Amino acid sequence: MTTESTLRADIVEVGRRMYARGYTASNDGNISVRLGPDRLLMTPKSVCKGFMTPDMMCITDLEGRKLQGDRDPSSEMLMHLEVYRQRPDVQAVVHAHPPTATGFAVAGIPLDRAVLAEVLTTLGSIPIAEYATPSTKELPEAVRKYIKAHDGMLLANHGALTVGGDLYSAYYKMETIEHFAKISLVARLLGRENLLSREEVTRLQDLRGAYGIKAPAPICAEPGTDPDLGSVPEESCQVVQAPHGEGSRLVPDTVRSMAKADGDEEIRLTYRELSALIEDAIRSLR
Ligand SMILES: [Zn+2]
């Protein structure tokens, strides 16, 4: 059993790491852990997560009533309470605004493509919870849709949320999301993103069991239509985009291939090549 003083020190350390890595700016972000069946230890409102001390934390019950602490609990307390209510297995909740992942959340692009084995075995898919005004009760409502089946999600035009069986596990999931977002961004800038095949995703899903990874829900192709799982509602599965490989483990990006077929793909020419093409075209008009 981890003692309260250790948990206070762990929250300080995780806050420092998040701030140092640029996952939060100013007073952004919040962290909480379960202290007991009906008690939470939580970061306070309006402090920079990079400069906290163990005595700053608040203790609340699961209804959000403050039991101890000089400061008021985090302005996003309602979102934390909702997670603990929906997920009895969760021991810690981390919320931050890591810039690349938040960029995807602003662009409305979920991190749900089968690209990295490590991400699939741990988080599965990373959906986007609908936009909600921060600190209002809209945010827990938006999070509720995905929290039963996901340990990490983006929050539209806001940031990211991760949960875990202990504080470091929740924090590492935040690192994984930001790392995955950076890799996805680079691949997309390079103009190509090969996907893992559905068959490979099934193999990775089986590895979860072999490695004892506790995922809150299975991975499925589409809600309600997964051939292996039958009817699966969106709330209880991790929807991952993975095409059938027909023998190959890696499949070229189908969206881009379709764009190519439509003649929509971007091409790049040097100034000299472009001039030559234009001169050719003008010559043929004469
Ligand atoms: Zn926030």
Side-chain angles (χ1 to χ4, degrees):
M1 182 70 196
T2 316
T3 62
E4 183 182 322
S5 62
T6 307
L7 290 171
R8 284 176 184 267
D10 287 348
I11 292 179
V12 169
E13 180 60 24
V14 165
R16 212 191 322 253
R17 287 176 193 227
M18 291 208 302
Y19 185 65
R21 282 177 158 263
Y23 292 1
T24 60
S26 180
N27 297 339
D28 298 344
N30 28 73
I31 304 165
S32 66
V33 296
R34 274 191 210 270
L35 259 188
D38 189 36
R39 289 195 316 153
L40 303 174
L41 187 63
M42 192 176 296
T43 50
K45 198 179 265 183
S46 309
V47 297
C48 175
K49 304 305 162 300
F51 298 93
M52 294 187 296
T53 51
D55 58 296
M56 285 182 178
M57 307 308 157
C58 300
I59 297 178
T60 72
D61 64 14
L62 282 180
E63 306 303 316
R65 283 181 291 256
K66 188 168 87 170
L67 304 175
Q68 201 185 310
D70 298 334
R71 297 162 185 262
D72 285 335
S74 163
S75 53
E76 295 295 8
M77 177 174 68
L78 296 176
M79 174 171 73
H80 290 245
L81 298 176
E82 183 65 27
V83 172
Y84 292 113
R85 263 197 293 270
Q86 299 290 333
R87 292 279 303 272
D89 60 310
V90 163
Q91 297 297 320
V93 177
V94 171
H95 165 58
H97 306 163
T100 315
T102 305
F104 276 81
V106 169
I109 304 171
L111 291 163
D112 64 351
R113 311 188 88 193
V115 175
L116 297 176
E118 193 75 11
V119 175
L120 288 162
T121 49
T122 54
L123 282 154
S125 68
I126 301 148
I128 306 182
E130 211 175 286
Y131 179 75
T133 308
S135 83
T136 68
K137 65 178 192 322
E138 285 175 16
L139 195 53
E141 278 163 21
V143 163
R144 193 179 304 146
K145 180 175 176 193
Y146 294 107
I147 195 60
K148 281 229 165 91
H150 298 84
D151 281 351
M153 70 186 78
L154 303 177
L155 308 173
N157 290 56
H158 181 171
L161 174 74
T162 53
V163 304
D166 61 61
L167 177 54
Y168 279 95
S169 140
Y171 167 67
Y172 290 141
K173 283 171 195 161
M174 188 62 76
E175 280 195 351
T176 299
I177 288 181
E178 179 64 356
H179 199 229
F180 181 32
K182 281 183 184 161
I183 292 167
S184 298
L185 178 64
V186 170
R188 290 174 198 196
L189 286 173
L190 292 171
R192 190 177 303 166
E193 192 177 30
N194 294 325
L195 303 184
L196 302 181
S197 68
R198 177 127 302 273
E199 297 74 16
E200 182 65 5
V201 169
T202 306
R203 208 168 296 139
L204 291 167
Q205 171 141 248
D206 293 343
L207 283 180
R208 276 180 168 178
Y211 291 127
I213 296 168
K214 282 200 195 88
I219 297 170
C220 57
E222 281 174 57
T225 59
D226 192 276
D228 304 324
L229 299 163
S231 173
V232 182
E234 194 177 2
E235 292 75 15
S236 54
C237 88
Q238 298 173 347
V239 184
V240 167
Q241 291 186 48
H244 284 288
E246 282 147 29
S248 307
R249 292 188 187 192
L250 288 181
V251 185
D253 185 340
T254 46
V255 176
R256 281 184 195 276
S257 307
M258 276 162 60
K260 203 185 284 179
D262 289 345
D264 264 351
E265 199 191 33
E266 179 189 9
I267 55 161
R268 291 173 195 221
L269 297 172
T270 62
Y271 184 72
R272 191 191 298 266
E273 287 164 341
L274 182 62
S275 307
L277 276 175
I278 294 170
E279 277 167 25
D280 261 5
I282 293 171
R283 216 171 293 132
S284 69
L285 283 175
R286 284 185 187 138

